[in-house]
Amino acid sequence: MGWFWAEPTLTAARTPSSHPPVAGDGAPPAGCPMHTKTLDALNPNKNPQNPGGPTASACLVPREEARTTDDESKSLLSQLNPLNYMFPDLSQKRAPNQTVALPTSREVSTIPKGSGDGTWEYPSPQQMYNALLRKGYTDTDIEAVEPMVSVHNFLNEGAWAEIVGWEQRFAQGLYQGWRICRRGEAHAPEELERNWKNGNGPEPSLIRFQGRPKDLTPKATMLQVLGWIYPSKFGVEMPFDRHDWYVSRDVNGEQQQVRYVIDYYSGEPEPTGEPVFYLDVRPAATPRGAAERIIRWSTDVWWKAVGGDKREQDPQPFFRHNASKPWG
């Protein structure tokens, strides 16, 4: 769940407690997540491009990646790093016929690596541009690469913040998660501080992630069906990308792998022109993941439905011995 918007300077983010309806008017972009949509929004005077070619997805690369020693000719798919579907050797050199210099500095993320060796590091604009060229996007607008990298990094940080929120609630078990969620999303920080054991607990880490832009999630499919039946309430555009993130969770000293699913939606731009993106982040629909989703969402709905805040301020028993009887 989450709502994020990207400014050219990328200085802020807002995360309401629930995922609002998504309104978009563009086709899902090709290439990296947020590619065409982001470029359109950040460069309103440019014509959108939709080059054909293999799908590029995922934006993180591990720090201090080892270089490949295999010089044999390989297919495009086999050249992709299986950890994150990026090339294992991202060059910082200028591409042939490149006329505009791109920065080679790399931004360090806040996302811990599953190997325990520091945090993930985002590719530099020069590395991203070289990777796009190698993947077939030869008509990429070089002046749009820096904003594209910034938006990629911004949305990845937002997705990780959402995942950390889920982990804080349920890493210590379903019952502990219920205790944290029972008073709704608005009171979750208070309950986290009250019920969290052993300080802040073990920090989750990202093992790997996979871009699956062509695979529609069951929830996204259901929203499309509901939108066809009841468009005024459920009508949403198709998500333009999907990621599966594999997170390492510490459970009583043992590491367990938890899969999270992220749907990326484009919304109507802000009046000032900034693009708007919606990230629907939740555990995959495994038995445990489904239970976590039910607990978090149902407790929030129930707390609001029964007027939990008002009841806390003015507690009243459900049944009073002196209450008037409807039958007289």
Side-chain angles (χ1 to χ4, degrees), residues 173-185:
L174 295 178
Y175 175 67
Q176 187 72 1
W178 174 81
R179 293 181 63 186
I180 295 170
C181 296
R182 59 184 174 178
R183 296 173 63 222
E185 285 292 297

Side-chain angles (χ1 to χ4, degrees), residues 30-80:
C32 285
M34 294 72 71
H35 185 185
T36 304
K37 265 293 189 179
T38 300
L39 301 192
D40 292 348
L42 296 180
N43 299 273
N45 295 326
K46 294 184 179 294
N47 293 325
Q49 297 176 346
N50 186 20
T55 299
S57 190
C59 311
L60 296 168
V61 291
R63 302 186 69 182
E64 304 297 334
E65 273 189 325
R67 292 177 178 270
T68 179
T69 57
D70 188 355
D71 296 329
E72 296 181 1
S73 176
K74 296 181 178 180
S75 67
L76 176 64
L77 182 61
S78 65
Q79 293 180 50
L80 299 177

Side-chain angles (χ1 to χ4, degrees), residues 183 187 190-191 303 307-315:
R183 296 173 63 222
H187 296 280
E190 176 186 345
E191 294 298 324
W303 184 259
D309 289 337
K310 187 176 185 304
R311 287 181 179 277
E312 283 189 338
Q313 297 172 3
D314 183 22

Side-chain angles (χ1 to χ4, degrees), residues 91-135:
S91 173
Q92 292 275 29
K93 296 181 180 180
R94 278 198 183 194
N97 303 321
Q98 179 180 335
T99 58
V100 178
L102 289 173
T104 58
S105 59
R106 302 176 66 178
E107 180 182 348
V108 178
S109 77
T110 62
I111 307 174
K113 291 195 293 186
S115 62
D117 183 21
T119 59
W120 291 75
E121 188 174 24
Y122 296 112
S124 69
Q126 183 64 63
Q127 289 177 313
M128 177 66 77
Y129 183 64
N130 291 338
L132 290 170
L133 293 179
R134 292 174 66 179
K135 292 178 180 181

